[in-house]
Amino acid sequence: MAIDNTLLLNGLRIQPGEQILTRLAISRLPSGAVIDVPVHVIRSTEPGPVLLLMAGMHGDEVNGIETIRRLIRRNLLQPTHGTVIAIPILNIYGFLNFSREVPDGKDVNRSFPGHPRGSVASRVAHRFMREIMPLVDYGIDFHTGGAARANHPQLRCVLGQDAVTDALAAAFAAPFTLHARLRPGSLRATAHALGKPIIVYETGESLRFDEPGIEEAIAGTLRVLHHLGMGPEGPAPARPNVLCSRHRWLRARYAGLFRAHVGLGDYVEEGQIYGSIADPYGGQAVRLESTMNGYVIGLNYMPVVNQGDALLHLAMPA
């Protein structure tokens, strides 16, 4: 927290106008290698809010990591007022092992607020809550679709309950903004309980860059910085922001080879054929009809599907 405008982090006293890179030690692997998390802190000489930019909560979600890397390399995180805390990769172990989880197989984003003597996931969450969260006023948490499921660029938050969160989402202006409930153990839910709004941005799929989605993320971040009085005006959104009050995955009723007939961002009407599932041995193919209207915000790119697998994520405008 700030004392005489000095920011205290990881045993360091960071003054206005300073820019530092520090590392939070988390744990030690059986090999002896230390897991630590690099944290960039960029402070203006002028007072203002503290904005957290974080990615790599799941180590295989590379689009958020690349977003923050580009923001740093392009020198776009120099606030005119306040402070930016940028964490490109929270889950270092998962990043090195192309994995969503940490060594114990647990999800960091279901482990908040964590415990100092808990599992590795719990320790990551606890160190973050002890060192980073007390400093933060607002945050953007960058994520990516997983398990061969791709997301169209979208923002997730609780809409209509908090004017500050609604304003952050409007400033970011992703192509789609989803009303998404808080999930127990998540960073967003834990921050919400502390009165610290964090919005979640999703784009693309694991282990693959989504260039349009990355550039959307950069532009949205710059618009949020401007909204908070921390930077110049960001680029205008390329398209209107669609607010979606409900969203649901359509799932496979049959097993087989899935082929989608629609793409991310398309609008699908109830009764429309959105794909097919074929018998891999040359038998019958079943056409898939949508049971609702909505925009395609998520799509399964895995051809081999089992009964119950998520195929198409549709979002309905508010």
Side-chain angles (χ1 to χ4, degrees), residues 5 42 90 119 170 235 245 247 280:
N5 215 20
I42 307 107
L90 183 67
S119 65
S245 56
H247 51 98

Side-chain angles (χ1 to χ4, degrees), residues 242-253:
V242 180
L243 298 179
C244 298
S245 56
R246 295 185 298 135
H247 51 98
R248 181 161 65 88
W249 279 95
L250 303 185
R251 296 183 175 272
R253 296 179 59 190

Side-chain angles (χ1 to χ4, degrees), residues 10-34:
N10 201 26
L12 301 174
R13 298 176 64 85
I14 309 167
Q15 303 296 334
E18 290 188 331
Q19 178 173 339
I20 63 102
L21 171 63
T22 186
R23 295 175 180 271
L24 299 181
I26 302 297
S27 184
R28 188 180 295 272
L29 297 177
S31 65
V34 174

Side-chain angles (χ1 to χ4, degrees), residues 142-219:
F142 296 94
H143 285 264
T144 297
R149 292 193 296 269
N151 286 327
H152 194 67
Q154 61 193 257
L155 199 71
R156 298 183 181 185
C157 61
V158 176
L159 289 170
Q161 295 185 15
D162 172 18
V164 175
T165 300
D166 288 349
L168 285 174
F172 194 104
F176 295 94
T177 299
L178 277 60
H179 173 69
R181 64 182 178 84
L182 299 169
R183 297 192 176 189
S186 69
L187 170 63
R188 189 163 61 96
T190 305
H192 176 80
L194 297 173
K196 297 172 182 271
I198 291 183
I199 55 178
V200 171
Y201 176 79
E202 295 257 4
T203 193
E205 61 179 309
S206 298
L207 301 176
R208 288 175 175 80
F209 283 155
D210 170 34
E211 287 295 334
I214 291 169
E215 291 302 320
E216 286 272 8
I218 291 170

Side-chain angles (χ1 to χ4, degrees), residues 237-279:
R239 67 197 81 179
N241 173 227
V242 180
L243 298 179
C244 298
S245 56
R246 295 185 298 135
H247 51 98
R248 181 161 65 88
W249 279 95
L250 303 185
R251 296 183 175 272
R253 296 179 59 190
Y254 309 95
L257 299 177
F258 171 61
R259 184 185 300 274
H261 297 169
V262 296
L264 291 171
D266 289 351
Y267 186 78
V268 174
E269 296 184 343
E270 183 176 355
Q272 179 178 337
I273 303 300
Y274 69 84
S276 63
I277 295 179
D279 178 349

